[in-house]
Amino acid sequence: MRATSRRSWPLVALMLLALAGGVNARSKAPAPATPPTVQIHGTVQAAFAPWDDIEGIIVERLAGARHQVLMQAYLLTNRKIVDALVAAHARGVDVKVMMDRGQLDNNSTDRLHQLRAAGIPVWFETIYRSAHNKVIVIDAGQTSAAVITGSFNFTWSAQHRNAENILVLAGDGALVGRYAANWERHREDAEAAP
């Protein structure tokens, strides 16, 4: 049996902890914990495609953004939504987008070029098999704070061909702040788009 050098012991220890469930091997972070359950305040709006106009709800919420929009997109091909992001940026809203790099296809590439041409910073998530979040955080830290989340990909098909849902959670600063902090945690591991 070959002797293991002292330098490799930390790696071996991390691997053993990962196998035992004590450390996430990818991020070297503690194993997943149960998040807190909190009493929320504010309003909740549930919408279901194709019956409800989810695309319109998202565009309207983006039109109402005053300070910041943080988006995590698995797919981003919807022109109306991207146009609303560009319009928000043009009126001075701090707009930032993260996309799953593995889902970048021709349509997403067109939307990526549109965002970049408008001066909107974009990052690619690359360390996950799927960066499957579909989240828009609006005005975190403000009284107008809201989160939009659900199964709805930001695509034309999600509105017109799929069975999808969203929740719009508004008016709960702590909840919106938690989503904003999670967005930032993902951005730290993401790669800036060229």
Side-chain angles (χ1 to χ4, degrees), residues 5-194:
S5 74
R6 285 185 170 206
R7 297 179 96 185
S8 65
W9 274 111
L11 179 60
V12 171
L14 280 173
M15 291 171 68
L16 290 172
L17 280 171
L19 289 172
V23 170
N24 179 321
R26 170 170 261 148
S27 67
K28 298 179 185 162
T34 303
T37 300
V38 297
Q39 182 78 32
I40 66 167
H41 307 281
T43 63
V44 176
Q45 179 183 23
F48 307 94
W51 304 281
D52 298 324
D53 183 11
I54 293 177
E55 178 185 77
I57 292 168
I58 292 171
V59 167
E60 182 179 334
R61 285 287 177 165
L62 292 172
R66 296 292 167 247
H67 301 281
Q68 186 179 61
V69 172
L70 305 174
M71 174 184 267
Q72 283 179 283
Y74 180 64
L75 292 168
L76 180 57
T77 62
N78 187 294
R79 289 179 188 206
K80 290 180 182 179
I81 293 173
V82 173
D83 288 347
L85 291 167
V86 169
H89 178 72
R91 68 175 185 273
V93 175
D94 177 26
V95 176
K96 298 175 182 173
V97 175
M98 251 184 307
M99 302 169 69
D100 183 313
R101 177 66 176 97
Q103 294 302 314
L104 198 61
D105 61 16
N106 289 335
N107 291 323
S108 293
T109 301
D110 291 345
R111 301 292 68 83
L112 170 64
H113 291 313
Q114 182 181 357
L115 293 168
R116 298 298 295 132
I120 295 173
V122 178
W123 291 266
F124 293 134
E125 293 202 70
T126 60
I127 67 170
Y128 304 100
R129 181 172 176 231
S130 292
H132 208 240
N133 287 302
K134 299 126 182 170
V135 175
I136 303 172
V137 180
I138 299 172
D139 294 342
Q142 307 295 317
T143 57
S144 56
V147 169
I148 301 169
T149 190
S151 70
F152 191 87
N153 282 305
F154 307 115
T155 66
W156 181 89
S157 293
Q159 178 62 58
H160 300 282
R161 293 187 178 157
N162 298 353
E164 304 282 357
N165 74 85
I166 63 164
L167 289 175
V168 180
L169 307 157
D172 189 303
L175 180 66
V176 176
R178 188 162 160 78
Y179 272 90
N182 185 63
W183 188 96
E184 184 57 37
R185 179 172 43 190
H186 280 266
R187 192 210 48 83
E188 288 174 3
D189 291 332
E191 300 173 6

